[in-house]
Amino acid sequence: MPKISVKIDDKDLEVEVGTTVLDVCRANDIDIPTMCHLKGLVDVGACRLCLVEVEGTSKLLPSCTTKVQANQVIHTQTDKLKKYRRMITELFFAERNHVCSVCIANGNCELQDLGYKVGMENVRFPYLFQNCEVDSSHSKFVMDHNRCIMCTRCVRVCSDVEGAHNWGIMNRGYQVRIIADFNVPWGDSTTCTYCGKCVDVCPTGALWNKDATQGSMQKYPQAVSDLVEKREMKS
Amino acid sequence: MDKHLPPNTIMISPVTRIEGHAKITIMLDDASQVKDAQFHVNEFRGFEKFCEGRYFTEMPAITPRICGICPVSHSVASAKACEMIMGITVPYTGNLLRRMIHLGQHISSHALSFFHLSSPDFILGWDSDPVKRNILGVAEKFPDLARRGIRLRKFGQELSERVTGKKIHIMGIVPGGMSFPLTAENRQALLDWVPEAIETTQMGIDLIKKYHQEHHQEVSTFANFPSMYLGTVGPQGEMELYDGKLRFIEADGTIAADQVDPKFYLDYIAERVIPWSYLKYPYYKPHGYERGFYRVGPLARLNVASKMKTPIAQKEFEQFKAIGQGQPVHGTFYFHYARLIELMQAVEECKTILEDSQVTQSKTQVTGRHNYWEGIGCSEAPRGTLFHHYKTDASGKLVNINLLIATGQNNPAMNRSVLEVAKQYIKGKDIKEGVLNRVEAAIRCYDPCLSCSTHAIGQMPLLIEVRDHQGGLLNAIQRG
Ligand code: SF4
Ligand code: SF4
Ligand code: FES
C-alpha cells in the first residue's frame, strides 16, 4: 500500500492510503472517544463522539468514517471538540432513562465510562423521561429500550456477522427504536438465532442476559472483533 | 410554634436524629390537655410504582436503594421473592454468607441506633444541652465508648465488605445465592474481630441496664401500652433474624398464630390507607382494624420468641423476659434493651457461621429462570418484619409490587406511643425542650426509617393536614 503523510495533534505520521482517521489515531496512541464504532463492524458515524477538526474544512468530521488524505492537518483534542463530546454524552443520558445505581450494567458500561472520561458531572439538558419498554419476551435475553443509545452495533452485528437480520430500526428522532423483525416482541422473532452477539457488543445495559445480575453482567465486544478478524484471515 | 397552626396545636418538627423527616402534631383540648397526637410522615419515594415494568431479577439490585441503613434486608427479601418465582433453592454456603451479611447489617444498624442516636439521651441526660446531645457530645465525655460504638458499626459493615467488596449498597446478594465467596483470609480477619464486638455489645447492655435501674419509674412507664406483636421464629420458637416462620402473639402473650409461612402473609395482615399519612396502616387481619394493632422490630421479636439461639444473648433474654413477669414487655423504652440483646445474638451467630467449615466453599449460587408468576420474600429487617411481594406477566416483567415495611407496620404504634408520652409529659402549653425530646424519643424507640416505609404512591396531596380528634381539618401545612 502506498503511504501518505499527515499531521495529527502535532505528530507527523506516515500512514497507508485508505485508513480512517480513527484507525490512525488508535495506532498512534491518540485517544478519541467512540461509541458506535466497533472494530469488525462497518462504521456508520452514528454517535458523533469521534468528531475531529481538519484544517481547511469548516465542518467537524467523524474520524471513524473519514479516510486520511495526504498532507492533512488534524486536531483531535481541541476545547471545541471536548465541549461537543461532553455535550453529546449528556444528551445520551438525557434522552432515555439511565439510573446507573440500579442498572444491570453498572460498573461494566461503556456509556458510564464515557461519562467519567469526558468529565460529565451533571446533565445540563432537561431529561425527556421517555416511557420506554422493557422487552423480556426472549427466553435468554432482555432488551431494555430505556438504556439504548441507538449506536446500532446490535443491528450491524446481527446482519453482517451473524447474518440473521433480526434487528432493525423504526421511526425517527427521539422516537427512534430498535425493533426485532417487523416490530414484534423479541421472543416472537423468527430470525433470531439465540447467538447472543448483540448482547456482547451492546455498550450499555440495554441488552443483557437473563441470568446475569448487577456486577456479573460482562460484555465482550472484543470477541466479535476477534471473530471478524479470524474470518478475514481465513478468506 | 408554626404560625399557620391554630392556637391550641403544638407542632414539633422536624424530629431530629431519625433517618428521614417527620412531623408530630399534638392537639390540646380547650383545657390545654393533650387530646390526640399524630406522627406525620411526609416523605415519599414511590418504589412500588416505578419498579413496575422491570424484569423481576433486577429487584434485588433496585430495592436496596430504598434505604441506606437496611439495604441488605431488602436485597434478601427481594432475592427470596425471586427464588420463589424461579422455584430454586439457595446452596448451603450461599445461604450462610447471605445470613452473615444480613446479621452484619443488623449489627451496624443497631450499633448506629444505640450508640449514635439513642445513647446521648441516656448518657448525657434528657434535659442536657440539645446542641451537645449527640454522638459528638458522648465522644467528648466518654471517648472510649463512642469509639467502640463506631467500631462496632464498622464491624457490621465489614461483614459484608469482606464478602462483596462494597459496604453500603451491596452487590452480591442475587437470586439463587451469593455471587461472591468468602476467602479464608477474610474469614480469619472477621473472626479476629468477634471478641471485641461481643465486649462492646456487652458494654451497651450494661449501660442500658444501669439506666433501667436508675430510672426505673420512667423506663417502666414510658409509652407503656399493650399491643400484639409479630416476629420471625425458628422451628423451636427461637428468635430469627434472617429466615424462618412468622409468629403473632396477643397482647397477653398467648400465641395467636405460629409457624406461618411468610408466603401466606396476606391471610394474616391487612392494610388500611389513612388520609393523613403516606404510611399504610397494617393490622392483624383475623382481629380486624380496631383490635389487630401489632408491633414489629426488636421488642416484638423478643416478645414472640421462646428463646435465643446463642448463649450470651439467651442469658440476657431471660432477664428481659423477667421484666414482663410472664407477659410481653410492652414498655416502648425496652426497645433499646431488646435491640442490644438482638445485637448480641447477631454477633454470636456470625461467629458460629464463620466457624462453619463450609463457609469458604465456592459453590454459592444456583441459577434458574422465570417459572412461576408470583413470589413472596420475607426477612427480619433491623426495624422489623419486611415483605416483598411481586407479581409478573408471562415474560417475567413486574406488574404488581407490594412492599410491606417495618416502619409502616409500627406506624400505628408510633402514634400511640407519642400520645402516651404526650399525655404523661405535656400539661398545658408551657413546654420545655426536654419534654419535647421525650416525645421525639418515643418515636426514636422504633428507630423509624421513614424514607423506605412511605412507598405508596399517588394517594394524597403533598400537604400535611392537621386534624382534630374527630378527624376534622384544623389546618393544612405545606411540606418542606
Ligand atoms: S446503560 Fe450504562 S449509563 Fe445507562 S444506566 Fe446503565 S450503567 Fe448507567
Ligand atoms: S441495544 Fe445496545 S447495541 Fe443496540 S443500538 Fe441500543 S445501545 Fe446500541
Ligand atoms: S464512533 Fe464515530 S460516529 Fe460514533
Side-chain angles (χ1 to χ4, degrees):
Chain A
M1 276 272 185
K3 299 241 175 177
I4 51 173
S5 309
V6 289
K7 194 180 183 122
I8 305 182
D9 295 346
D10 299 328
K11 275 191 198 170
D12 289 312
L13 302 167
E14 290 277 292
V15 299
E16 284 179 3
V17 172
T19 321
T20 63
V21 175
L22 182 66
D23 282 343
V24 174
C25 290
R26 294 257 154 114
N28 289 283
D29 291 330
I30 297 168
D31 189 29
I32 298 181
T34 57
M35 200 47 77
C36 65
H37 167 81
L38 179 69
K39 191 161 168 277
L41 300 183
V42 173
D43 282 307
V44 288
C47 74
R48 317 309 278 180
L49 269 169
C50 68
L51 292 177
V52 292
E53 286 188 68
V54 180
E55 281 187 14
T57 316
S58 58
K59 280 204 290 187
L60 301 175
L61 299 173
S63 60
C64 66
T65 55
T66 304
K67 301 214 161 111
V68 282
Q69 313 265 335
N71 303 319
Q72 265 177 337
V73 180
I74 300 167
H75 302 281
T76 71
Q77 310 293 336
T78 63
D79 286 348
K80 183 173 172 184
L81 290 171
K82 284 184 185 156
K83 193 177 106 193
Y84 279 123
R85 285 171 191 158
R86 180 164 164 197
M87 204 186 269
I88 291 165
T89 309
E90 287 175 37
L91 288 168
F92 280 139
F93 280 90
E95 185 167 344
R96 298 196 187 175
N97 305 302
H98 295 271
V99 185
C100 299
S101 61
V102 298
C103 177
I104 190 97
N106 191 10
N108 296 304
C109 173
E110 289 182 41
L111 180 60
Q112 197 180 40
D113 294 345
L114 176 70
Y116 287 117
K117 187 173 192 166
V118 301
M120 186 185 92
E121 281 160 359
N122 60 326
V123 174
R124 291 162 295 177
F125 306 102
Y127 282 84
L128 290 185
F129 294 120
Q130 293 196 66
N131 198 355
C132 299
E133 229 232 314
V134 177
D135 181 354
S136 56
S137 58
H138 196 284
S139 63
K140 287 178 73 179
F141 314 118
V142 177
M143 165 57 158
D144 181 356
H145 293 274
N146 290 287
R147 300 163 186 159
C148 171
I149 56 164
M150 293 307 299
C151 70
T152 72
R153 284 190 198 176
C154 54
V155 180
R156 286 173 283 148
V157 81
C158 187
S159 59
D160 302 353
V161 183
E162 179 64 7
H165 297 272
N166 167 61
W167 295 120
I169 301 165
M170 168 179 91
N171 298 342
R172 314 195 64 167
Y174 73 93
Q175 287 170 318
V176 68
R177 290 290 182 275
I178 296 293
I179 51 169
D181 281 357
F182 290 107
N183 194 20
V184 297
W186 191 1
D188 295 345
S189 160
T190 54
T191 53
C192 173
T193 63
Y194 292 56
C195 76
K197 289 191 180 68
C198 56
V199 177
D200 271 339
V201 299
C202 175
T204 71
L207 290 171
W208 46 280
N209 294 332
K210 274 191 168 168
D211 55 14
T213 49
Q214 199 185 51
S216 77
M217 183 65 232
Q218 301 268 3
K219 305 290 186 91
Y220 296 102
Q222 186 62 33
V224 169
S225 306
D226 292 350
L227 176 69
V228 173
E229 197 180 323
K230 281 179 189 139
R231 281 186 191 169
E232 277 166 1
M233 270 157 45
K234 259 186 126 179
S235 58
Chain B
M1 276 273 216
D2 191 306
K3 63 179 182 324
H4 301 293
L5 291 178
N8 56 352
T9 303
I10 299 161
M11 182 94 144
I12 307 171
S13 170
V15 180
T16 53
R17 284 184 282 139
I18 51 171
E19 308 287 331
H21 306 279
K23 278 181 180 169
I24 296 165
T25 309
I26 295 157
M27 278 144 289
L28 307 180
D29 62 14
D30 292 346
S32 289
Q33 297 298 308
V34 172
K35 199 154 65 176
D36 206 351
Q38 286 174 353
F39 171 47
H40 298 264
V41 174
N42 48 25
E43 249 192 58
F44 179 72
R45 296 187 70 175
F47 267 81
E48 287 164 331
K49 201 71 204 162
F50 70 63
C51 289
E52 281 175 17
R54 303 304 316 175
Y55 192 61
F56 75 99
T57 57
E58 290 185 273
M59 291 301 269
I62 297 176
T63 54
R65 304 284 170 177
I66 293 175
C67 172
I69 18 178
C70 54
V72 182
S73 300
H74 281 292
S75 244
V76 164
S78 182
K80 286 183 184 177
C82 291
E83 282 145 12
M84 182 170 159
I85 291 174
M86 297 164 138
I88 55 174
T89 310
V90 177
Y92 182 78
T93 303
N95 213 33
L96 271 187
L97 292 180
R98 243 196 219 177
R99 180 182 279 274
M100 185 181 82
I101 292 178
H102 195 237
L103 293 172
Q105 176 201 251
H106 274 268
I107 293 167
S108 50
S109 172
H110 283 357
L112 173 79
S113 167
F114 183 76
F115 289 98
H116 294 57
L117 304 179
S118 301
S119 76
D121 286 338
F122 318 135
I123 297 176
L124 305 172
W126 301 89
D127 302 313
S128 62
D129 179 2
V131 177
K132 291 221 167 145
R133 204 175 49 221
N134 52 41
I135 185 74
L136 296 177
V138 175
E140 218 172 82
K141 280 202 165 166
F142 306 93
D144 182 52
L145 185 79
R147 194 187 54 84
R148 278 174 165 275
I150 291 165
R151 288 220 0 119
L152 184 58
R153 183 167 183 229
K154 175 114 200 336
F155 172 65
Q157 292 168 337
E158 197 89 358
L159 285 162
S160 75
E161 198 187 358
R162 292 268 175 180
V163 182
T164 65
K166 210 173 171 221
K167 268 182 285 189
I168 311 286
H169 288 121
I170 37 91
M171 288 178 173
I173 293 177
V174 293
M178 285 293 306
S179 51
F180 305 97
L182 178 69
T183 64
E185 189 197 341
N186 282 328
R187 170 204 203 172
Q188 194 52 51
L190 291 170
L191 267 175
D192 292 346
W193 200 328
V194 167
E196 181 198 322
I198 290 182
E199 227 176 82
T200 305
T201 308
Q202 191 62 54
M203 281 175 81
I205 290 177
D206 295 344
L207 207 118
I208 196 86
K209 286 205 301 209
K210 184 162 162 265
Y211 190 88
H212 286 174
Q213 269 169 13
E214 285 165 3
H215 303 79
H216 181 72
Q217 176 65 16
E218 178 167 19
V219 168
S220 54
T221 55
F222 186 80
N224 192 335
F225 58 91
S227 72
M228 294 186 72
Y229 295 95
L230 161 64
T232 304
V233 291
Q236 267 86 51
E238 62 275 30
M239 198 213 50
E240 250 304 328
L241 290 171
Y242 169 74
D243 206 16
K245 299 285 192 308
L246 307 176
R247 180 186 275 181
F248 291 88
I249 60 166
E250 305 283 1
D252 66 2
T254 50
I255 292 176
D258 201 7
Q259 298 296 328
V260 174
D261 190 316
K263 62 174 180 273
F264 301 119
Y265 81 106
L266 284 179
D267 294 342
Y268 294 87
I269 300 169
E271 285 183 281
R272 206 181 92 151
V273 170
I274 41 151
W276 45 268
S277 174
Y278 279 115
L279 289 168
K280 294 181 231 170
Y281 257 45
Y283 57 92
Y284 181 65
K285 205 168 168 183
H287 285 358
Y289 174 68
E290 293 294 334
R291 282 208 308 123
F293 152 68
Y294 68 91
R295 289 190 262 183
V296 296
L299 186 66
R301 285 189 286 250
L302 261 66
N303 274 332
V304 305
S306 317
K307 58 178 180 188
M308 302 300 276
K309 292 170 87 176
T310 57
I312 310 178
Q314 174 64 24
K315 247 179 52 213
E316 287 300 331
F317 178 73
E318 284 158 19
Q319 296 181 36
F320 171 87
K321 284 283 179 187
I323 299 169
Q325 296 165 342
Q327 297 266 321
V329 177
H330 293 302
T332 301
F333 200 86
Y334 292 110
F335 256 99
H336 297 297
Y337 187 29
R339 195 171 285 126
L340 288 164
I341 300 173
E342 276 193 356
L343 181 57
M344 187 58 94
Q345 171 165 316
V347 178
E348 288 183 284
E349 208 184 334
C350 280
K351 182 164 177 275
T352 315
I353 293 172
L354 288 163
E355 284 166 351
D356 191 310
S357 61
Q358 294 194 54
V359 75
T360 48
Q361 289 212 339
S362 58
K363 179 73 184 161
T364 55
Q365 193 193 352
V366 294
T367 54
R369 48 161 57 198
H370 182 246
N371 286 317
Y372 303 97
W373 290 30
E374 196 169 345
I376 294 166
C378 172
S379 68
E380 280 294 336
R383 289 149 193 82
T385 323
L386 166 69
F387 298 88
H388 279 213
H389 186 176
Y390 309 151
K391 289 183 186 153
T392 67
D393 67 9
S395 77
K397 274 200 302 190
L398 294 160
V399 291
N400 195 288
I401 297 130
N402 188 33
L403 307 175
L404 183 58
I405 279 156
T407 300
Q409 295 173 83
N410 277 333
N411 187 30
M414 283 191 278
N415 274 299
R416 184 64 194 279
S417 299
V418 171
L419 178 61
E420 292 300 318
V421 174
K423 273 187 186 160
Q424 214 178 337
Y425 289 99
I426 295 178
K427 309 260 187 262
K429 281 188 183 173
D430 192 18
I431 288 166
K432 290 191 189 74
E433 207 311 298
V435 179
L436 292 182
N437 196 37
R438 279 173 178 81
V439 174
E440 296 182 12
I443 295 290
R444 280 207 301 280
C445 284
Y446 296 87
D447 191 19
C449 52
L450 299 166
S451 61
C452 72
S453 45
T454 49
H455 51 89
I457 197 164
Q459 278 153 354
M460 52 217 64
L462 295 172
L463 277 174
I464 296 166
E465 295 179 340
V466 182
R467 293 170 182 272
D468 65 21
H469 68 298
Q470 286 159 328
L473 187 68
L474 285 177
N475 205 346
I477 307 147
Q478 202 76 37
R479 286 215 285 150

